[in-house]
């Protein structure tokens, strides 16, 4: 290890974190107000503050980076930070995948009387037949879907779109490493376009699910797991697309060179993570 | 670069110092002060509970309010007092112990702290809302926390989200600092054990806090968007909630004890004037406990009707944890063996930790036995068990750490007389409060009830008297710390004779910026 950290950049006092806290607090307080049927003002103001901060705080970091304040050791901090952040995201999705596997493996069969739970089935809902995808819920009062989403229609298209986007992103990275800025920009722009196309197709899928198939959040556990998994994934694709778009702008402005482009790499890591989550979704939510 | 460096020789004055700070010492101090405030708030709630339980019958508070008190006491103590105290200690001590100029991501560090006061203000404010605050226990089992919850539950969910964001980002910062900021020559196996235990704790935090976030998100959609995760009528399962919660919750209890192990492993060698016995085995034991903690969650659920194979698996996996924990206890005892021991306040708290935590460990072993747990489940025996590992466990280790490092933080010595007074009052109070709970629990008194059968009256009265003693003795702690800061006599750089480590090589009080040039380790 080189004794380099006398150059480690310890930033001066900063107003960004406390402002972020206030934005987050407004969101955290505004969301329950909004959900209780109250005013959306706090929630919206909080979101606006957070958006402003994402711009301002990260801009500040970009400026510091451009000034050459960050040593190689700082670069490692950013890398490690991003890796562990992605790990935390993996665990966030793990909760929802865990819920999906649990209801499919245990909860739904048990409600149907499987294992040693014959009396559960008999006493609670004797007419209930365990199945997956679960269209007929044990109790009434849920939206019954007329059909499930066909995995080999829109979801397959989306799989192709997203896997391709990971490949085009890798092409962009290789071009960047060879200092071919314009090719890199073109590939990155193409990646962003694929991301937007993915979101568009998912929008169509959601509208079809709600209007045509009657598959909603209120469709019992099938609809619940379907929408929470694909929904949170969609939010992550949206964020990823915005991040890649910012990286495209930075690339066009010449912020990156063939050696130093960790902002780009971090965005790429995030995008590949989102892609891998999608593969899990495609197989376990749609196909099987 | 030069402008930036010259700008931070000394802290700015006034409130802006604390709002805008990027300094690990400032942030550590804020964490500790926040934690102390939460400790007193959560402690007051405990005193409300113990007042009601002083005698059988309902006399002090309404049962509904009693439920809110047990719930909020647990939430405040776990998320507001114990966890932030350890993060505060990590902030103060890890850069000093590994020879780093600051935490790796200082602005993020500021953010991690300042989220907490907002989160807990919101959580506490639910007590004043229509329908009252959370009343479903700190474990917030569905459907109590979904279908039957008061309207304020949404605020509770978002405050948990905020506290979770704070914990995750704080933990990432700690991991990055330890992995990337060690002084040259400080290999992993030369790190002080407090640093090691925190590295592993931070890993646990990053692994399980997102699961908690996912769980409360499912609660939110169940309550407001009509999903059925925790409702059997829609094909979901209330038990799913318990599995998810305890997948978070069991590692969470190790999050609250591993840093304590680290603290004890710093203090016992100092006052025994001997190196720690079995350093490497301590590291491996900590890692083993952390890994095992992911495989034992359902021992909290032995009574819900798990398949037999699951009961057996979780029983044996749980009992396995006592092996690495035993390694630690034996190592501490072996460190003291033939040492030249002196009994300053940090050492007293540490020895009490070793003895009383072990009692909590043994009652945990009893609870781990599935068929026996059928009798103990949800009785006061469980309350006795987890308070023995949390109060004379986690909290005593925090007291020990505060007394141990106060001279470094403030540059002043605390009053040894007051410190010992605090220790003995706390020690007697804690045992008076929690030891009788073993007996009433084994005799069948259920937890979380405001009233009880007459045969439990005597032991409950003893518990309540003990709680009052313990609560009041914390005022001694407050006085000791304030006196130390204001009028304590000056402390040398290394006030403890047997103390080792980089933190004792810097001045007392530690200058605002330390190790701008990294020290060379060996």
């Amino acid at each position: 290890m080189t004794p380099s950290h006398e150059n480690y950049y310890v930033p001066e006092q900063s107003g960004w974190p406390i402002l972020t806290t206030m934005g987050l607090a407004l969101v955290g307080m505004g969301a329950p107000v909004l959900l209780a049927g109250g005013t959306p003002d706090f929630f919206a103001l909080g979101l606006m503050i957070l958006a402003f901060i994402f711009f301002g705080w990260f801009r500040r970091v970009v400026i510091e980076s451009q000034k050459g304040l960050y040593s190689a050791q700082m670069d490692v901090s950013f890398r490690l930070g991003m890796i562990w952040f992605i790990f935390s995201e993996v665990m966030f999705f793990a909760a929802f995948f865990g819920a999906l596997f649990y209801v499919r493996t245990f909860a739904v069969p048990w409600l149907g009387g499987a294992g040693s739970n014959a009396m559960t089935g008999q006493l609670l809902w004797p007419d209930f037949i365990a199945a997956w995808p679960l269209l007929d819920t044990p109790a009434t009062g849920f939206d019954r879907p007329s059909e499930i989403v066909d995995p080999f229609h829109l979801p397959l298209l989306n799989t192709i779109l997203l896997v391709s986007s990971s490949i085009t992103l890798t092409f962009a990275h290789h071009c960047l490493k060879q200092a071919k800025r314009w090719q890199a920009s073109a590939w990155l722009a193409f990646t962003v376009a694929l991301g937007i196309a993915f979101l568009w197709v998912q929008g169509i899928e959601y509208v079809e699910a709600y209007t045509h198939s009657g598959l909603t959040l209120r469709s019992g556990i099938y609809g619940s797991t379907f929408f929470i998994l694909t929904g949170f994934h969609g939010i992550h694709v949206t964020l990823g697309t915005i991040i890649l778009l910012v990286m495209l702008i930075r690339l066009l402005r010449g912020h990156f060179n063939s050696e130093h482009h960790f902002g780009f790499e971090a965005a790429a890591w995030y995008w590949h993570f989102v892609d891998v989550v999608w593969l899990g979704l495609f197989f376990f939510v749609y196909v099987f | 670069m030069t402008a930036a460096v010259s700008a931070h020789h000394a802290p700015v004055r006034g409130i802006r110092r604390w709002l805008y700070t990027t300094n690990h010492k400032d942030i550590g101090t804020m964490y500790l002060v926040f934690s102390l405030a939460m400790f007193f708030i959560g402690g007051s709630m405990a005193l409300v509970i113990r007042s009601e339980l002083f005698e059988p019958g309902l006399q002090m508070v309404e049962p509904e309010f009693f439920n809110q008190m047990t719930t909020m006491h647990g939430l405040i103590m776990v998320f507001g007092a114990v966890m932030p105290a350890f993060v505060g200690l990590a902030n103060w001590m890890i850069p000093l112990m590994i020879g780093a100029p600051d935490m790796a991501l200082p602005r993020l560090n500021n953010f991690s702290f300042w989220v907490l006061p907002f989160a807990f203000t919101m959580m506490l404010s639910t007590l004043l809302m229509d329908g009252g605050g959370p009343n479903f226990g700190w474990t917030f089992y569905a459907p109590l926390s979904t279908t039957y919850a008061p309207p304020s539950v949404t605020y509770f969910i978002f405050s948990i989200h905020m506290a979770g964001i704070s914990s995750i980002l704080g933990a990432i910062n700690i991991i990055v600092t330890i992995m990337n900021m060690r002084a040259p020559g400080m290999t992993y196996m030369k790190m002080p054990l407090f640093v090691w235990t925190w590295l592993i704790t931070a890993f646990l935090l990053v692994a399980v806090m997102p699961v908690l976030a996912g769980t409360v998100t499912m609660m939110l959609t169940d309550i407001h968007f009509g999903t059925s995760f925790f409702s059997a009528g829609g094909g979901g399962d209330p038990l799913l909630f318990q599995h998810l919660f305890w997948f978070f919750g069991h590692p969470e209890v190790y999050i609250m004890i591993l840093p304590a192990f680290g603290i004890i492993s710093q203090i016992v060698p100092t006052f025994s004037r001997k190196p720690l016995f079995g350093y490497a085995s301590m590291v491996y034991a900590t890692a083993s406990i952390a890994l095992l903690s992911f495989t034992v969650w359902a021992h909290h659920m032995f009574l819900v009707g798990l398949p037999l194979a699951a009961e057996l698996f979780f029983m044996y996996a749980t009992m396995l944890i006592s092996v690495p924990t035993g390694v630690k206890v034996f190592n501490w005892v072996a460190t003291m063996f033939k040492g030249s021991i002196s009994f300053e306040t940090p050492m007293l708290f540490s020895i009490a930790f070793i003895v009383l935590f072990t009692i909590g460990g043994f009652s945990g072993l009893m609870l781990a036995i599935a068929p026996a747990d059928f009798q103990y489940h949800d009785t006061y025996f469980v309350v006795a068990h987890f308070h023995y590992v949390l109060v004379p466990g986690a909290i005593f280790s925090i007291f020990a750490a505060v007394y141990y490092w106060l001279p470094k933080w403030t540059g002043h010595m605390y009053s040894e007389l007051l410190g010992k007074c605090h220790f003995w009052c706390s020690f007697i109070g804690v045992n008076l409060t929690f030891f009788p709970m073993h007996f009433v629990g084994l005799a069948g008194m259920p937890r979380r009830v405001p009233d009880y059968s007459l045969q439990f009256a005597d032991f409950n009265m003893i518990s309540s008297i003990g709680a009052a003693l313990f609560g009041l003795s914390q005022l001694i702690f407050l006085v000791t710390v304030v006196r130390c800061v204001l009028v304590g006599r000056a402390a040398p750089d290394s006030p403890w004779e047997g103390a080792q480590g980089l933190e004792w090589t810097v001045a007392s009080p530690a200058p605002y910026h330390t190790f701008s040039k990294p020290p060379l380790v060996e």
Side-chain angles (χ1 to χ4, degrees):
Chain A
M1 194 194 289
T2 49
S4 63
H5 79 204
E6 51 204 288
N7 298 321
Y8 198 87
Y9 178 68
V10 178
E12 312 171 49
Q13 290 217 318
S14 170
W16 291 111
I18 187 77
L19 193 59
T20 318
T21 307
M22 289 171 182
L24 188 69
L26 274 172
V27 169
M29 189 195 75
V33 172
L34 179 62
L35 287 170
T39 167
D41 295 356
F42 299 116
F43 186 66
L45 181 64
L47 283 185
M48 280 192 293
I49 291 177
L50 287 183
F52 168 68
I53 283 152
F54 273 119
F55 182 75
W57 188 346
F58 290 171
R59 178 172 171 273
R60 168 94 199 160
V61 173
V62 168
I63 290 170
E64 286 169 2
S65 168
Q66 297 295 307
K67 279 188 190 161
L69 293 175
Y70 294 163
S71 61
Q73 197 185 8
M74 189 79 205
D75 193 59
V76 175
S77 286
F78 284 142
R79 281 166 195 277
L80 287 170
M82 192 67 196
I83 289 169
W84 287 101
F85 172 69
I86 290 177
F87 175 63
S88 79
E89 291 270 44
V90 169
M91 293 309 292
F92 182 68
F93 277 99
F96 300 120
F97 274 106
L100 175 70
F101 295 145
Y102 181 83
V103 292
R104 290 184 59 168
T105 317
F106 299 114
V108 171
W110 285 351
L111 280 169
S116 55
N117 298 279
M119 286 311 287
T120 309
Q122 285 300 312
L123 289 173
L124 287 174
W125 292 283
D127 299 333
F128 174 66
I129 298 159
W132 193 270
L134 186 72
L135 301 183
D136 293 297
T137 50
T140 52
F142 295 91
D143 299 344
R144 188 191 184 284
S146 56
E147 57 184 354
I148 58 162
V149 181
D150 175 15
F152 299 108
H153 180 50
L154 294 180
L156 182 65
L157 176 62
N158 258 350
T159 309
I160 294 166
L161 285 175
L162 214 53
V163 173
S164 316
S165 74
S166 260
I167 296 168
T168 56
L169 186 59
T170 307
F171 286 162
H173 191 199
H174 279 285
C175 291
L176 182 55
K177 281 203 283 196
Q178 291 159 14
K180 297 177 188 162
R181 200 166 110 202
W182 295 111
Q183 284 101 316
S185 308
W187 282 117
L188 186 53
F190 191 41
T191 310
V192 172
L194 287 170
I196 294 169
F198 173 93
L199 288 169
W200 184 257
V201 172
Q202 198 177 22
I204 296 172
E205 185 187 303
Y206 271 24
V207 172
E208 276 189 10
Y210 258 81
T211 56
H212 182 67
S213 319
L215 177 64
T216 73
L217 278 167
R218 297 178 184 277
S219 294
I221 194 65
Y222 178 67
S224 309
T225 50
F226 176 84
F227 281 108
I228 204 138
L229 275 159
T230 57
F232 270 109
H233 178 264
I235 291 170
H236 282 74
V237 175
T238 310
L239 281 176
T241 308
I242 294 169
I243 294 169
L244 287 180
L245 197 61
V246 172
M247 291 307 144
L248 180 60
I249 294 165
R250 291 190 62 195
L251 188 59
L252 290 170
R253 287 197 175 185
H255 284 183
F256 302 127
N257 63 38
S258 54
E259 261 102 58
H260 296 290
H261 47 259
F262 178 64
F264 178 92
E265 281 179 80
W269 292 352
Y270 190 78
W271 193 254
H272 293 318
F273 150 71
V274 169
D275 197 8
V276 170
V277 172
W278 174 259
L279 291 178
L281 285 180
F282 180 65
F283 287 112
F284 295 115
V285 174
Y286 291 101
V287 177
F288 296 115
Chain B
M1 181 70 201
T2 44
V5 168
S6 60
H8 40 103
H9 275 308
V12 295
R13 288 170 175 281
I15 185 77
R16 279 169 51 222
R17 166 178 176 182
W18 304 101
L19 289 178
Y20 299 160
T21 186
T22 49
N23 182 289
H24 73 101
K25 300 181 184 81
D26 282 353
I27 295 171
T29 304
M30 290 196 293
Y31 265 112
L32 288 167
V33 170
F34 172 78
S35 151
L36 186 64
M38 287 294 132
F39 179 61
F40 279 106
I41 293 174
S44 318
M45 293 172 179
L47 290 181
V48 172
I49 295 168
R50 281 313 330 165
S51 311
E52 176 57 50
L53 294 175
F54 184 70
E55 285 177 337
L58 296 172
Q59 43 277 322
M60 301 281 297
V61 293
E62 294 294 314
E64 292 76 18
F65 188 70
F66 184 90
N67 287 344
Q68 294 173 35
M69 285 293 103
T70 53
T71 306
M72 290 298 258
H73 164 72
L75 290 168
I76 296 284
M77 286 304 198
V78 169
F79 294 104
V82 175
M83 289 170 68
F86 281 132
V87 181
L89 293 170
N91 257 295
W92 248 104
M93 299 320 298
I94 287 176
L96 286 179
M97 287 175 143
I98 63 173
D102 206 296
M103 295 292 280
L105 305 161
R107 281 174 290 213
L108 190 68
N109 201 17
N110 173 306
F111 175 62
S112 303
F113 168 73
W114 275 108
V115 171
L116 282 180
F118 289 97
F120 282 90
T121 308
M122 198 159 92
M123 192 186 282
L124 284 170
S125 71
T126 58
L127 287 173
L128 308 173
M129 293 179 186
D130 279 346
N135 55 6
F136 27 68
W138 86 274
T139 53
F140 51 100
Y141 280 7
L144 271 181
S145 61
T146 52
T147 315
Y148 305 105
S152 65
V153 66
T154 317
Y155 290 89
F156 158 79
I157 289 172
F158 279 95
S159 62
I160 290 288
H161 268 309
M162 287 166 67
I165 289 170
S166 159
S167 288
I168 293 168
L169 296 179
I172 290 175
N173 214 337
I174 288 168
I175 296 180
V176 175
T177 305
I178 297 173
M179 291 179 77
N180 191 36
M181 307 285 286
R182 280 167 290 127
M186 179 164 291
T187 58
Y188 278 109
M189 291 310 275
K190 281 183 191 164
M191 292 194 311
L193 258 179
F194 180 68
V195 180
W196 250 119
T197 52
W198 242 116
L199 179 62
I200 293 166
T201 303
F203 165 75
L204 289 180
L205 277 167
V206 180
V208 301
M209 291 309 288
V211 175
L212 178 69
T215 310
V216 294
T217 304
M218 286 183 247
M219 277 172 61
L220 185 77
T221 58
D222 268 14
I223 294 168
H224 290 288
F225 300 105
T227 56
S228 316
F229 292 105
F230 308 132
S231 127
D237 193 343
L239 280 190
L240 170 62
F241 177 89
Q242 297 187 23
H243 281 292
L244 286 167
F245 179 84
W246 286 115
F247 184 82
F248 147 78
H250 202 79
E252 166 71 16
V253 305
Y254 293 112
I255 287 164
M256 291 190 286
I257 205 64
L258 292 184
F261 290 166
I263 290 165
I264 302 306
S265 304
Q266 301 295 133
I267 293 176
V268 168
T270 296
F271 295 98
S272 305
R273 291 161 182 81
K274 271 178 69 192
L276 183 70
F277 184 89
Y279 172 90
S281 68
M282 284 298 218
V283 172
Y284 297 132
T286 312
S288 314
I289 293 172
L291 290 178
L292 283 172
S293 76
F294 288 106
T295 65
V296 299
W297 75 88
H299 66 215
H300 298 270
M301 304 164 58
F302 280 146
L303 263 81
V304 302
L306 297 176
L308 181 63
E311 303 258 337
L312 289 172
F313 171 80
F314 285 107
M315 174 170 88
Y316 288 124
T318 305
M319 295 167 93
L320 210 54
I321 290 189
S322 54
V323 177
T325 314
V327 166
K328 287 183 158 295
V329 173
F330 281 119
N331 278 346
W332 290 319
V333 175
T335 304
M336 287 192 279
F337 183 65
K338 289 194 173 175
S340 131
I341 304 178
S342 57
F343 297 94
E344 285 87 347
T345 312
M347 186 61 166
L348 288 176
F349 273 110
S350 298
I351 295 172
F353 172 97
I354 297 170
V355 176
L356 300 181
F357 175 81
T358 304
I359 293 178
F362 280 134
S363 58
L365 206 49
M366 291 170 73
L367 289 162
I369 304 166
D373 183 67
F374 284 19
Q375 313 300 317
Y376 311 149
H377 187 90
D378 259 348
T379 68
Y380 257 83
F381 190 78
V382 178
V383 179
H385 158 68
F386 68 73
H387 279 97
Y388 257 87
V389 291
L390 276 174
V391 186
I395 305 253
F396 269 26
S397 82
I398 294 164
F399 287 146
V402 168
Y403 285 114
Y404 186 55
W405 284 310
L406 255 183
K408 183 53 61 190
W409 300 339
T410 64
H412 298 168
M413 291 306 281
Y414 62 89
S415 154
E416 199 60 58
L417 177 71
L418 281 174
K420 284 191 168 129
C421 197
H422 173 222
F423 168 74
W424 284 110
C425 290
S426 296
F427 181 82
I428 294 166
V430 102
N431 284 298
L432 215 52
T433 312
F434 297 115
F435 212 81
M437 290 185 187
H438 290 111
F439 308 139
V440 289
L442 290 178
M445 176 167 161
R447 61 190 284 209
R448 292 171 170 161
V449 286
D451 189 8
Y452 48 83
S453 303
L454 292 176
Q455 73 266 29
F456 305 128
D458 292 349
F459 281 134
N460 270 289
M461 199 171 274
I462 295 171
S463 280
S464 291
I465 293 167
L469 175 61
F470 184 78
L472 288 175
S473 49
Q474 300 328 307
L475 297 177
I476 309 175
F477 176 61
L478 194 63
V479 170
T480 315
V481 172
V482 171
R483 268 181 52 97
C484 169
V485 173
L486 296 181
V487 297
R489 67 184 163 81
D493 293 354
S494 184
W496 312 118
E497 190 187 31
Q500 305 285 323
L502 287 176
E503 77 262 40
W504 306 111
T505 64
V506 303
S508 290
Y512 199 56
H513 290 282
T514 37
F515 296 125
S516 298
K517 281 195 172 57
L520 202 66
V521 180
E522 273 150 77

